[in-house]
Amino acid sequence: MEKQQRRALNSIVLSITTLVVVATLLLVGIGLVRDKMMRNTQQMGMSLAESYARETQSRLDGFARVFDMAWMYTIRGVDANMSEERMQEGMAEYQQNVHELFGGHVADLYAVIGGQIVADNPRTGDGTYDYASTDWYQKAMASPDEIIFSDVYEDAITGDQIFTLSKAMDTEGDVLAMDVYINQGDVVDLEISLPSTYHFYLFDTDGELLYRLIDRQATNPVYAEQLISGVRDGSLFAYDAQIVDPKGVARGVYYAEMDNGWTVVMTIPIQEVLMGEMDPVIYSLIGVALIAFVTLLFMVVRDILNLRRLAETEKTIRVLSDSFFAIYRVDFEAGTYRAIKTSPDLRGTFAESGDYDMLLAQVKKRVHPEAYAEFEQDFSLKSIAQRVKENVLDYGGDYKRIFGGSYHWVNVRTIYQKHILPGEVILCFKDVDVEKRQQMQHMMILQEALDTAKTSAKARNTFFNTMSHDMRTPLNAVIGYSELIRRTPGDAEKVTGYIKKVEFAAKQLLMLINDILEMAKLEAGKSTLDVKEFNLNEYLTEVCEMFRAQADRQQKHFELSVQIKDPVVKGDSFKIGQIMNNLLSNALKYSCEGAEIKVEARQFDYQKHSKFQIVVADTGIGMSEEFLNHIFEPYSRETHFTPRTTEGTGLGMPIVKSLVQQMSGEITVESAVGKGSRFTVTLPLEVVEQHDGPVIGAAAGENAGVSPAGSLAGQTILVAEDNELNMEIVTELLTMSGVQVIGAANGAEAVEKFQRSAPYSVDAILMDMQMPVLDGCGAARAIRRLDRPDAAVVPIVAVTANAFAEDVDRTTAAGMNAHVSKPIDMDRLLEALALCWAGKTSPAPRARRMTGERG
């Protein structure tokens, strides 16, 4: 690799040297040619400028000769006391000659005689014209024997660009003058034959642009000023001087000055000068030089790229080499080795090259005894040769090797590449101790996760087995007592008792299902807090009063102690009710006759959010110490021997803990078998020091102050339900309450029957959610879109077996007013309908917008 780099570097140096020499010669040659061309162009340009200056001067001399003849005629007229009329006639004749000579009305001839202006073409204002202050008059008086050419100026009367020829006469104060119009006739319109890229300019002594020949385009005034300034201050005199025109073209400048001080300027593009007609030999030489230059440049770039690739390859090899602590080339046919890189602890113990058996003997000394025999067999010359014969290109594995008194995991490999190293393999060693231990740790973690999954699966299986038993028990009661009711239709007393037991069993079954749904909702993260103001004192009192009656029936002592100084707080009263219901239900369920159930509530000030502590204690059967470690795990239930049978799903306490944690609270439990249990819940709640209006208690929740309707008599309700049994039950319940029921077997039929009914004839709609053809949400949206006055306001109550928050959100988004769960509780249904009819619930804003109504 080093030899290749040196050869590549030498080639690059030689190529660069040659390239520099060729480039230097090429640049010098181009410079000499360019210099010569620029000097020749300057000579040509200056000659052209002088030629055009002479032509322009000739035209001006023509004006001077005509003017001088008019001057002599005027002198004679003055000497002969010629009349003004005769003088004007003579001027007219001479002026006509000027017009014929130069084409068009190009000049006005006039004279100052005896303090008056005499002209062939008198103008208004000649009598008051202050001729004595003009430049042409003053210069004529100062040089009486010369014809004076003034600079170009703007005529005070016509506004034209003119210059004036003037000459003093023999009589004191008399001057003959002629105004020449620059832009009339052929005054300075030179017959110039130049390439279109050559630009021609004529400036007067003041630098005023008199004439231009430049693609018939207006000349930028700033550019014209820069041009004449550079000519007159000498900055554009050098043969290689240049100026950039408004189009961005670099130009050489060439000029000549006329006898009267006017300046002729001509510009030629530098590019045209350099790339004009050239000798074919020069072109050939330049072409050959460019080809040689490009070839050498290609060779230099190629060599540089090759050198860069070699350097990158070397870096890559170095990086790969650094990842191994030892690398050897092994000639398995000759039985020899050569060290590329040796482990630090083996340096000096053997030569850099020699017999492979010597290397293998030194390496084996550091192999862990358990892997010694396998290492010796797999990396012997015989085994290596056999693998090469079988075309095994890469072979190796991990083993333990001693380093400084401790064993590390090492990876050893033999790598074979027939086309690169025929007859040899690379033997390399890499320290993989960290990776190996991490891999083993990951394996342990995976094993623990597998064990946990198995434990969880076992717990779930236990739960489902228990649930199967717990659900079959009330189902068996429902089926059994239903059979007894069918067999004893005439015994009203027994039938009434059976019905009560069926109702009790059904409520037990519903409680089990609600626990499962609540736990699923919490695990999915779908449970959210509904924070509102409420009175915690009243809330706890109302909740506890519902359980006091049960405690009295079971002959148990119930006590409530509330010590809260700031009763109005912000929080989720419904979830606090769930916590209290679970704790009090367990206290009553797992205690015997004569037990004491005590609820204590106290407040602790803590910054903005006070902490409220609620303690539910009982003197019931208690729990074992072993079960206390698992009480908050899903599906866990106490299994020790007690006077009472363990009931429930094993989800009540996990639900309680999830609710407490959701409110950023804490829950602890103390219990002992036979002595009872004590649950302590601590919640941070914001104290409301000032509040407006009534604050709800708790048990009523949002519906505090709203009592269910006492009767539905006379109402017409559309019921959409696809299940025949459910339709029969709800129809019977409503009919017994005096309701006229309109039945629909699916959502599409419900929309059709509502559309056919008279406006405002339907007082409410009970809408099942899952129906064929069109579901409840789709039917509700379709009804809200109907073009009739009651479509947007008729109460629609969702009736569904799904009680999750997302299900309620779906019904609200579809335009429904309320939501009741199956099985239908008539009191809850009456309460929901009463709120709808009282206007305390309304369709979702989105649904109302879909109807096209305002508001």
Side-chain angles (χ1 to χ4, degrees), residues 14 141 178 212 293 300 379 572 585-586 602 670 705 770 812:
L14 179 60
M141 295 302 295
M178 184 171 66
R212 67 179 183 277
F293 181 81
V300 169
F379 294 96
D572 191 329
S585 295
N586 285 346
R602 59 180 66 90
E670 303 172 25
Q770 297 182 359
T812 303

Side-chain angles (χ1 to χ4, degrees), residues 409-718:
W409 282 99
V410 168
N411 179 267
V412 58
R413 314 206 70 77
T414 56
I415 301 173
Y416 174 66
Q417 288 292 335
K418 179 179 179 180
H419 301 292
I420 300 176
L421 293 174
E424 294 186 39
V425 297
I426 301 296
L427 178 66
C428 49
F429 300 83
K430 183 178 182 180
D431 189 342
V432 294
D433 191 66
V434 175
E435 295 89 335
K436 189 72 173 179
R437 295 186 187 279
Q438 287 178 346
Q439 183 182 3
M440 296 172 66
Q441 186 177 6
H442 292 161
M443 291 296 296
M444 292 176 61
I445 294 173
L446 290 174
Q447 186 61 46
E448 291 176 359
L450 180 61
D451 294 340
T452 302
K454 289 180 179 179
T455 303
S456 178
K458 183 178 179 181
R460 288 179 181 270
N461 289 335
T462 303
F463 161 72
F464 285 119
N465 291 334
T466 304
M467 280 298 302
S468 175
H469 172 269
D470 289 349
M471 293 181 73
R472 286 176 181 273
T473 299
L475 279 173
N476 182 64
V478 170
I479 296 171
Y481 284 116
S482 298
E483 177 67 19
L484 291 175
I485 292 171
R486 188 179 64 81
R487 290 175 180 273
T488 57
D491 192 337
E493 184 177 354
K494 283 188 176 182
V495 169
T496 301
Y498 293 156
I499 290 174
K500 288 183 178 179
K501 292 175 181 177
V502 168
E503 185 180 6
F504 177 77
K507 289 183 177 179
Q508 276 190 313
L509 183 61
L510 180 61
M511 181 182 68
L512 292 173
I513 294 173
N514 286 340
D515 278 352
I516 295 171
L517 293 176
E518 181 66 25
M519 193 62 196
K521 183 163 59 175
L522 289 169
E523 288 182 348
K526 299 293 186 179
S527 179
T528 57
L529 294 176
D530 183 16
V531 178
K532 295 181 180 178
E533 294 182 11
F534 69 99
N535 190 306
L536 186 58
N537 281 353
E538 296 178 8
Y539 182 85
L540 294 176
T541 301
E542 292 173 7
V543 171
C544 291
E545 286 303 317
M546 290 190 292
F547 288 93
R548 188 185 297 276
Q550 182 181 348
D552 292 341
R553 288 195 304 271
Q554 296 177 0
Q555 298 182 5
K556 299 174 183 177
H557 178 69
F558 191 95
E559 181 181 346
L560 172 64
S561 174
V562 179
Q563 300 176 10
I564 298 176
K565 65 177 182 178
D566 299 311
V568 180
V569 297
K570 283 186 178 180
D572 191 329
S573 60
F574 178 76
K575 285 185 169 50
I576 294 176
Q578 285 183 285
I579 295 170
M580 295 300 297
N581 286 338
N582 271 285
L583 295 179
L584 289 173
S585 295
N586 285 346
L588 289 168
K589 185 188 301 183
Y590 299 112
S591 61
C592 302
E593 184 178 319
E596 294 182 358
I597 291 90
K598 188 173 183 179
V599 178
E600 299 177 348
R602 59 180 66 90
Q603 177 181 351
F604 301 98
D605 292 332
Y606 181 74
Q607 298 180 359
K608 180 179 179 181
H609 290 76
S610 294
K611 287 192 174 183
F612 294 85
Q613 190 178 82
I614 302 172
V615 178
V616 178
D618 66 75
T619 58
I621 61 176
M623 294 171 282
S624 64
E625 184 176 352
E626 179 183 357
F627 177 67
L628 282 178
N629 297 325
H630 305 281
I631 187 172
F632 295 118
E633 296 176 3
Y635 322 120
S636 297
R637 301 201 301 181
E638 176 66 285
T639 57
H640 74 276
F641 297 102
T642 64
R644 295 288 305 276
T645 301
T646 303
E647 301 176 359
T649 60
L651 296 175
M653 294 315 298
I655 290 173
V656 168
K657 185 173 183 181
S658 295
L659 293 174
V660 170
Q661 289 177 340
Q662 192 178 10
M663 291 186 282
S664 302
E666 298 176 355
I667 182 170
T668 60
V669 58
E670 303 172 25
S671 184
V673 176
K675 295 183 180 180
S677 303
R678 179 184 177 89
F679 289 87
T680 303
V681 176
T682 305
L683 300 174
L685 300 174
E686 182 180 351
V687 173
V688 180
E689 298 179 355
Q690 295 181 352
H691 56 89
D692 299 326
V695 180
I696 64 172
E702 292 183 358
N703 302 330
V706 179
S707 59
S711 173
L712 296 175
Q715 305 291 330
T716 299
I717 297 179
L718 173 61

